[in-house]
Amino acid sequence: MKFFQTVLFTVFVAGSALAQDFAPFQNEENYQVYMDLKAVTNDELPVEIVPPLLSADSIEFQMPRIVPGTYDVHNYGRFVQNFKALNSKGEELKARRLDDNRWMILNASKLYKITYTIEDTYDYEESTGIFEPAGTSVEDSVFLLNNFGFVGYLKGMDDMPFELTVNKIEGFYGSTSLVGDLGESQDVFEIENYFTLHDNPIMYCVPDTATRMVGGAEVLVSLYSPNNVVSADECMKHISEVLDATADYLGGTLPVEKYAVLIYCVPLEEAGSSYGALEHHTSTVLYMPEFDGERFYSGVRDITAHEFFHIITPLNIHSEMINDFNFIDPEMSEHIWLYEGVTEYNSHLVQARSGIYDLTEFTEVLKDKLDQADGFNTDIPLTIASKFTLDFFKDEYMNFYQKGALAGMCVDLKLMELSNGEYRLVDLLKELGDMYGPDTFFVDENLFEIITEHTYPEMREFFARHFEGAEPLPYAELFETVGFSYWEELEIEQLTLGNVELGFNFETGRLKIEETQEMDEFGKEMGWMPGDEIMEFNGQPVDLATISDVMGDFYENTQVGDKVEILVARPQEDGEYKEKKLKAKAQLGTYIEQNILQANPNPTPEQIERRKLWINQ
Ligand SMILES: [Zn+2]
């Protein structure tokens, strides 16, 4: 009982102290928001909002249910605790919670201030399902202020300006692409509306930053690495490599004046289920495990290349659904293939064009996307998967990074084909970007007509078949134009191991023959039995570490008719193993291989020219 009273008393004192600290004059023009990083208690950050003066009887306060770029419902309102609507005397007004994200405030004409605390998503007791770069972090050593996770707005009034004041911890710096009035102890940001507030994350911590001019833009890298195993300087080296390539691809300059890359690292053992980044108009937040060296930096490079290209799509080219984003109940566009797919394609294309990838590496990237796309439902058209991505086709979403990217590539190759190399995807994107830009939009259902009008009549049928319809993209035909050969599947002849099914025995650490029903002549001659475990292959010991070298040696240096000797451990009825040497003469077998893509060794002069135009190689 005493404990209870003590707690009540403390809350009361803290509450009144805050009210005293932040009691601005309420006006009709803007929201005034206050976050005190020093006032965190129990891992919760207090937020105070003085909204514009109201005349309504009641008003709804909202936190975002979903934010742009995630294509997933996050319900940020569920992290709000201790919600209070207060009048100017500090007395509580009646407020009723409508659902996770909405509160109805009564007597709204008396409303002076809304206060609540926010639990961060990273430390939430249960799994939040929130993609980490769209999450929030409140720690002693770092604050990741994805503002949409902390600040809400009044329904129908998200177009009004916000003045955000952050009371910061000594030695901390707030990295963001927002321009603010940065003080010793407080930073103040004037922000034009809720969309812009949501679109500009701020990361507060002891700074490790690097700045560089790239393609006319001032690029800031800010890094938080708890174990100091990676550095902002090194990130900048890798990032500027792709941003230089991007500027080059886009005609010399980047389409922004300032861009901030905020990198929030976590120790490997604490990393969440996924990592990656979320795009914004002039910044991006990366959530990265503290990998060692090259793996970390090349990851940062690839991810930043992708996020940066989001400036083009959807930030400069988008439909009405993104332009007037509804944070509670947005309608999904049919064109995630454009927003995510084209972005993903461009991010790899520039790496090929600038020589970061050689021809083999770029071919591997495409082959990987072809293989991965096969793992999704090929009967669902891209536009339908997009429109219903929040519900029916949630599981298909990741295919926009595979088939969506390949679709972007096909548009590129098709445009080059139709224009005889005069017009590429990048030209189309530039034209659309000039036409629309960040503040205007196209009508979602008219996009294919718009592109057709700007390009070639043949494009309409192309979109109808392969985007609105589920007809497979015409890879073979389009790859041919740039001197690549593609087969969806191909029967190939290769030295056989007997056409048996292989597995692995984790107890013994050996490869194991699982199944012999489909065994070919070689397998029969060898005498494989289910359960056999491979110990030696042509005298070389085999385990997980050596298997790929041993097999590589076999395929490279064995001729048909050569003797093949394999030592196996064969399980006996008593559970023991007995060693047995199996022998047969090497033979060829036939296999079906999927998605074979290779640069044609003897391209025609036209193909060479077109390939050069495409990937600059
Ligand atoms: Zn993306």
Side-chain angles (χ1 to χ4, degrees), residues 192-395:
E192 61 181 305
N193 53 32
Y194 188 76
F195 190 92
T196 308
L197 174 74
H198 121 275
D199 192 40
N200 282 283
I202 315 173
M203 185 166 76
Y204 276 95
C205 59
V206 173
D208 174 14
T209 60
T211 318
R212 227 200 88 176
M213 291 300 292
V214 186
E218 182 192 329
V219 176
L220 163 74
V221 172
S222 176
L223 177 90
Y224 168 72
S225 167
N227 296 313
N228 285 316
V229 295
V230 282
S231 79
D233 268 337
E234 199 57 37
C235 287
M236 180 58 99
K237 275 184 209 152
H238 286 72
I239 288 171
S240 46
E241 196 181 27
V242 277
L243 292 190
D244 276 332
T246 303
D248 199 41
Y249 177 62
L250 295 175
T253 52
L254 297 174
V256 281
E257 285 173 14
K258 200 175 168 187
Y259 193 77
V261 181
L262 311 181
I263 309 173
Y264 183 104
C265 300
V266 281
L268 278 182
E269 62 277 13
E270 288 168 30
S273 56
S274 62
Y275 65 95
L278 181 65
E279 76 271 18
H280 301 286
H281 277 79
T282 53
S283 59
T284 180
V285 171
L286 276 73
Y287 174 95
M288 294 290 296
E290 277 181 321
F291 293 130
D292 257 356
E294 191 49 33
R295 183 165 176 212
F296 179 85
Y297 294 115
S298 61
V300 166
R301 184 194 66 205
D302 284 359
I303 293 169
T304 308
H306 174 103
E307 298 313 317
F308 194 84
F309 262 108
H310 274 308
I311 294 177
I312 313 287
T313 51
L315 304 178
N316 267 290
I317 305 172
H318 54 246
S319 68
E320 72 274 23
M321 289 135 187
I322 290 184
N323 193 66
D324 192 13
F325 192 82
N326 184 330
F327 288 92
I328 293 290
D329 195 14
E331 201 182 328
M332 286 292 113
S333 162
E334 291 183 356
H335 303 298
I336 300 179
W337 71 270
L338 174 69
Y339 307 142
E340 290 303 334
V342 165
T343 298
E344 175 68 5
Y345 165 63
N346 274 333
S347 74
H348 291 290
L349 180 66
V350 291
Q351 300 197 52
R353 292 184 60 86
S354 65
I356 296 172
Y357 293 151
D358 63 21
L359 199 55
T360 312
E361 287 166 324
F362 185 57
T363 311
E364 275 164 15
V365 168
L366 296 179
K367 151 98 177 136
D368 184 56
K369 296 210 176 293
L370 289 160
D371 286 343
Q372 301 232 30
D374 283 347
F376 292 90
N377 188 334
T378 51
D379 292 334
I380 305 169
L382 284 165
T383 52
I384 299 292
S386 182
K387 202 170 173 53
F388 297 102
T389 192
L390 291 184
D391 28 56
F392 312 136
F393 300 133
K394 212 170 160 41
D395 293 345

Side-chain angles (χ1 to χ4, degrees), residues 56-70:
D57 291 339
S58 63
I59 190 84
E60 198 177 305
F61 178 79
Q62 302 185 331
M63 290 291 289
R65 175 170 164 265
I66 177 168
V67 293
T70 59

